[in-house]
Amino acid sequence: MITGSVLLSSTVCDREAWLIAHQIEPDQFNPFIEIGRLIHTESYKNNQIREISLPGMKIDMIYEQGQMVIVGEIKKSSKFLKGARLQLLYYLNEIKKRQVQAVGKILIPKEKKQITVVLDEQSIDELNQAIKNAEKIISLPRPPQRKKSSFCSKCGYEEFCWS
Amino acid sequence: MAEPIYIFSDGILRRKENTIVLETSEGKRHIPVENVAEIKIFSEVDLNKRLLEFLTEKNISVHFFNHFGYYIGSYYPREFLNSGLVILKQAENYLNEKKRLFLAKMFVEGALLNIINNLKNYNENYRFSDKIRIIKEHVDKLTMCYDVEQLMALEGNAREVYYNCFDEIIKSNDFTFNSRTKRPPENELNALISFGNSLLYTTVLSEIYKTHLDPRIGYLHSTNNRRFTLNLDIAEIFKPIIVDRLIFTLINRRQIKTSDFHQISGGISMKENAKKLFVQSFEERLKDTIQHKQLKRQVSYRSLIRMEIYKIEKHILEDQEYEPYIG
């Protein structure tokens, strides 16, 4: 199933996208995953609305700013911005189908950064392209072959892939 | 890095806010829950549902041993990693006889090759060369087995050849092997093997809990209607490397002596101090590291166990064919 995190990972590693799509989660005791989890729970603690779960989506934060609805996605660093943007576009598009217009924000508390993501015609094309690509990956009967990359050493699947 | 907690003193184990507290007659010991990998209880401990809920939330398993150090059972919390695909594939590999036999064979092969390596370590003056050759012949015959029972029989025969070498590996005359006896073990060496094996079984079980595999579906051990079997399969590979080597070292360094045991009805059991020493050395062994070829870094034996489980997961997903770890 396509989800926000499948789209995100498909920009980094096909194998990761396949595994996530098949509910084979990364090692939950991996130190980088634990840090990420901590940043998620400790940042923006005082915000009133937090985490909303919908099919294929786990929205970190949704709140109103003036007339606008903001969908916030908390990230540890700006390392995977391309994927984070797709993830937000996917959320924005899904909630638009439910008649809610919103703007996305990638929130990187550690870097004190906020990056706005807007769902316009061009980005919808981009999103659809990415969905098509991800669907192709996850419909494979087996996980795509492992490939060594610079991301492996900090990935929660490192020990799974390279054991 | 989270650590396993071993409890040897009687008392009450309870949740207190975000920690676990062990209350004994000697006082309170606070155990920060984030540092707990698993809990192994050897003493009389009272605990309640609130604690079990807390342990479930933190994904911590608990293993219970009786007064004599025999395994009683485990609290295996609700699964927190679920993949329908993995469970289906795991069952498929069990139901398809050819696939099941492949995995079962790999477990036996891994165990026997690790046994051979143990003997090679102690092969002064080529004293075990004949025995090594015989066990190798058993390994070669594995491909001819057409069911799991045959595999197990072959493994049993090879293991007997291996056990016959124990008296020579062990320098102390106080310890003799005779034959393998369980429930209860009839001599000191058998008591050590049983104790070490149960520690390993529960360690592997805790590691399986951190993966998507179901410990109830094993491939080699499945006939005996036990609750958990996959951990027994995987433990076969690591028994020679972790448990047997530890026993040889502890006896040869005279850290464990026959006076560390006492008679119980129909058998023999380790005294508490010996159990504590064994457990401590066992944990040190799990923390020992080796250089991992693929990962290009040091990994502990405990991680190696979890990676062995990943390898099985990859095998059933038809990603990479399983090959057992040979140390």
Side-chain angles (χ1 to χ4, degrees):
Chain A
M1 188 175 96
I2 294 286
T3 67
S5 46
V6 170
L7 282 177
L8 163 74
S9 52
S10 69
T11 64
V12 186
C13 170
D14 287 359
R15 188 173 164 93
E16 186 187 0
W18 191 96
L19 290 168
I20 292 179
H22 290 84
Q23 285 85 46
I24 300 168
E25 296 89 343
D27 173 16
Q28 295 304 304
F29 300 89
N30 176 295
F32 298 104
I33 301 240
E34 287 190 324
I35 291 169
R37 199 161 41 214
L38 207 69
I39 291 178
H40 262 81
T41 47
E42 292 303 310
S43 316
Y44 307 103
K45 245 186 169 166
N46 301 326
N47 258 293
Q48 291 207 323
I49 309 170
R50 288 190 52 86
E51 284 212 356
I52 292 186
S53 285
L54 290 163
M57 292 186 276
K58 212 169 157 192
I59 295 174
D60 287 346
M61 277 175 25
I62 190 158
Y63 55 96
E64 274 171 40
Q65 208 167 56
Q67 298 293 316
M68 272 197 301
V69 178
I70 312 278
V71 174
E73 173 65 26
I74 306 168
K75 289 290 174 216
K76 198 162 54 178
S77 76
S78 41
K79 208 168 163 189
F80 303 111
L81 275 186
K82 191 184 168 205
R85 213 176 84 83
L86 278 177
Q87 188 179 2
L88 266 180
L89 288 176
Y90 177 73
Y91 294 165
L92 296 174
N93 198 39
E94 286 300 306
I95 62 170
K96 196 178 137 194
K97 289 181 191 164
R98 295 167 172 84
Q99 327 301 332
V100 179
Q101 289 280 358
V103 169
K105 266 189 184 161
I106 304 171
L107 309 165
I108 311 164
K110 251 172 76 183
E111 300 173 8
K112 297 204 166 65
K113 267 192 204 162
Q114 295 203 351
I115 298 157
T116 306
V117 177
V118 182
L119 187 75
D120 52 23
E121 249 171 72
Q122 197 190 338
S123 53
I124 289 178
D125 285 349
E126 207 182 316
L127 173 67
N128 288 334
Q129 196 54 42
I131 291 176
K132 248 176 150 175
N133 173 50
E135 275 171 345
K136 215 164 83 191
I137 298 167
I138 66 179
S139 66
L140 295 170
R142 295 185 191 107
Q145 279 209 336
R146 58 188 187 180
K147 271 192 216 123
K148 199 63 140 194
S149 90
S150 57
F151 303 125
C152 289
S153 68
K154 287 189 176 176
C155 175
Y157 290 106
E158 187 205 20
E159 294 190 348
F160 178 85
C161 288
W162 300 103
S163 57
Chain B
M1 188 59 192
E3 303 262 347
I5 303 292
Y6 287 84
I7 297 177
F8 282 100
S9 31
D10 296 348
I12 304 166
L13 198 60
R14 63 170 104 240
R15 170 182 187 167
K16 193 164 183 226
E17 279 146 31
N18 267 327
T19 55
I20 300 168
V21 182
L22 176 66
E23 287 178 34
T24 64
S25 53
E26 271 145 45
K28 284 184 187 175
R29 178 179 157 210
H30 286 260
I31 309 163
V33 73
E34 305 300 338
N35 299 337
V36 181
E38 55 174 328
I39 303 177
K40 295 186 190 182
I41 299 179
F42 292 84
S43 52
E44 292 308 317
V45 164
D46 287 340
L47 43 83
N48 60 18
K49 179 170 139 270
R50 212 165 89 87
L51 179 80
L52 296 179
E53 274 170 5
F54 188 44
L55 294 170
T56 302
E57 189 191 310
K58 301 291 179 186
N59 309 318
I60 297 167
S61 6
V62 190
H63 309 291
F64 299 95
F65 298 82
N66 75 4
H67 181 63
F68 303 115
Y70 303 146
Y71 176 63
I72 302 171
S74 299
Y75 175 66
Y76 193 80
R78 164 168 55 77
E79 292 282 356
F80 72 111
L81 295 172
N82 287 300
S83 166
L85 179 72
V86 170
I87 293 296
L88 287 177
K89 290 277 188 185
Q90 202 187 338
E92 184 203 350
N93 274 265
Y94 178 85
L95 294 169
N96 179 317
E97 263 178 65
K98 232 172 119 182
K99 289 184 176 177
R100 178 178 167 199
L101 198 61
F102 174 87
L103 279 171
K105 197 178 290 173
M106 283 299 148
F107 295 134
V108 176
E109 189 178 305
L112 296 186
L113 292 179
N114 283 325
I115 278 174
I116 289 174
N117 280 351
N118 267 3
L119 290 180
K120 281 183 180 165
N121 277 340
Y122 289 93
N123 197 16
E124 295 119 42
N125 302 321
Y126 306 105
R127 55 179 174 167
F128 295 135
S129 294
D130 275 352
K131 304 275 167 78
I132 291 172
R133 190 181 44 77
I134 297 171
I135 299 177
K136 267 196 186 131
E137 283 168 14
H138 281 77
V139 175
D140 294 337
K141 279 188 215 154
L142 289 176
T143 45
M144 295 190 291
C145 293
Y146 50 81
D147 63 26
V148 173
E149 284 65 44
Q150 282 191 324
L151 272 179
M152 282 193 129
L154 205 61
E155 194 224 357
N157 292 339
R159 205 171 265 282
E160 215 175 286
V161 178
Y162 172 55
Y163 284 140
N164 279 333
C165 305
F166 272 39
D167 288 342
E168 276 183 79
I169 295 175
I170 289 163
K171 287 178 201 148
S172 164
N173 291 330
D174 299 338
F175 289 88
T176 51
F177 185 75
N178 297 321
S179 63
R180 180 80 179 105
T181 49
K182 303 171 192 172
R183 273 162 276 156
E186 282 162 20
N187 65 26
E188 292 84 355
L189 201 46
N190 274 297
L192 284 171
I193 297 172
S194 292
F195 188 68
N197 287 350
S198 353
L199 287 182
L200 185 61
Y201 294 147
T202 51
T203 301
V204 178
L205 184 58
S206 296
E207 292 303 313
I208 294 177
Y209 182 60
K210 299 175 190 170
T211 74
H212 299 80
L213 290 177
D214 189 318
R216 293 169 298 185
I217 306 176
Y219 299 95
L220 181 64
H221 298 84
S222 53
T223 39
N224 16 356
N225 286 324
R226 267 184 260 227
R227 205 171 145 210
F228 301 120
T229 50
L230 186 62
N231 57 329
L232 308 184
D233 286 2
I234 296 163
E236 287 299 324
I237 292 161
F238 290 97
K239 273 185 204 170
I241 301 173
I242 295 173
V243 179
D244 299 350
R245 283 189 204 170
L246 187 66
I247 293 173
F248 302 151
T249 311
L250 287 175
I251 298 179
N252 286 346
R253 285 189 190 152
R254 310 211 179 281
Q255 285 173 283
I256 284 191
K257 297 181 263 336
T258 42
S259 56
D260 289 320
F261 298 82
H262 53 74
Q263 287 290 331
I264 53 166
S265 63
I268 198 153
S269 157
M270 291 162 81
K271 289 184 187 165
E272 191 174 309
N273 276 346
K275 271 188 244 164
K276 280 184 181 168
L277 174 77
F278 193 107
V279 157
Q280 201 187 340
S281 320
F282 177 81
E283 282 304 325
E284 279 165 19
R285 179 80 183 139
L286 286 180
K287 275 191 213 154
D288 276 351
T289 57
I290 58 146
Q291 177 72 20
H292 194 282
K293 272 187 213 148
Q294 296 275 11
L295 288 166
K296 296 194 174 71
R297 60 174 164 88
Q298 295 284 315
V299 296
S300 67
Y301 279 97
R302 186 182 278 273
S303 326
L304 220 51
I305 293 174
R306 193 171 61 251
M307 287 195 263
E308 202 65 16
I309 305 162
Y310 287 150
K311 278 156 66 180
I312 295 159
E313 205 168 318
K314 287 191 283 186
H315 175 85
I316 63 163
L317 289 170
E318 293 165 71
D319 178 37
Q320 259 176 280
E321 191 166 275
Y322 175 63
E323 269 177 52
Y325 171 76
I326 310 297

